Amino acid sequence: MFYEDETTADALQADHEAQLDADVQQAEMEAAAQRSQAHEKAGYCAHLSAVGYLPEPVYEEQRGLQPGQLRCTGGCATVFESDEAWYAALDSPELNPVKRTGRRGGTPLRQADSAGPSGGA
C-alpha cells in the first residue's frame, strides 16, 4: 500500500521486510512440526490431546482424575496436575519424553443416541 508522503522505494522495502518476516515464521513452524513428527516416529507421545476432570466423567480417561488434573489422550495416559503442566509438555514434549502406550483419543463411557436429542421444534 502506498501513501502520498511515501516513496516507492520505502513502500517496496516495507513489503519486502514483511515477506521476510513471514518466511522466517513459516520456517520456524516447519522446524517445530518436523521435531514433533520425529518425536512421534520414535514412539514418544506429543501430548496433543487431553481430557480434564469432570464430576460425572464423559470419557473413560476422566475416571480417577481430581479437580484441576488432565489426562493425556495422545497415547500415553500421563496425568498432568494442571493446564499449565499439560501446556508445558505440549510445547516441549522432548524435554520429558514419555513412550506411547496405547491408542489415541478419548473413550466415551456411553454411546450417543443415534436419533439425536429428544424433543423438537
Side-chain angles (χ1 to χ4, degrees):
M1 172 178 231
F2 296 103
Y3 297 97
E4 290 180 22
D5 62 341
E6 180 176 53
T7 67
T8 303
D10 289 341
L12 291 176
Q13 179 65 28
D15 185 54
H16 180 68
E17 289 174 3
Q19 289 176 5
L20 288 177
D21 288 346
D23 289 344
V24 168
Q25 289 176 341
Q26 182 69 32
E28 289 171 351
M29 289 187 292
E30 288 175 9
Q34 288 172 354
R35 284 192 308 273
S36 178
Q37 186 177 27
H39 187 75
E40 286 194 272
K41 279 186 176 182
Y44 294 99
C45 187
H47 311 300
L48 296 177
S49 62
V51 292
Y53 166 82
L54 282 177
E56 294 183 31
V58 174
Y59 294 99
E60 183 65 37
E61 292 83 358
Q62 290 173 309
R63 290 182 190 246
L65 290 177
Q66 299 301 313
Q69 291 182 327
L70 295 97
R71 180 171 284 129
C72 179
T73 57
C76 71
T78 299
V79 174
F80 298 97
E81 294 302 317
S82 65
D83 288 347
E84 293 79 16
W86 176 61
Y87 283 121
L90 176 65
D91 289 342
S92 300
E94 65 278 355
L95 293 181
N96 188 15
V98 179
K99 284 282 193 179
R100 276 196 313 267
T101 58
R103 68 176 194 79
R104 296 177 183 182
T107 308
L109 290 174
R110 42 196 172 273
Q111 296 295 322
D113 183 4
S114 60
S118 60

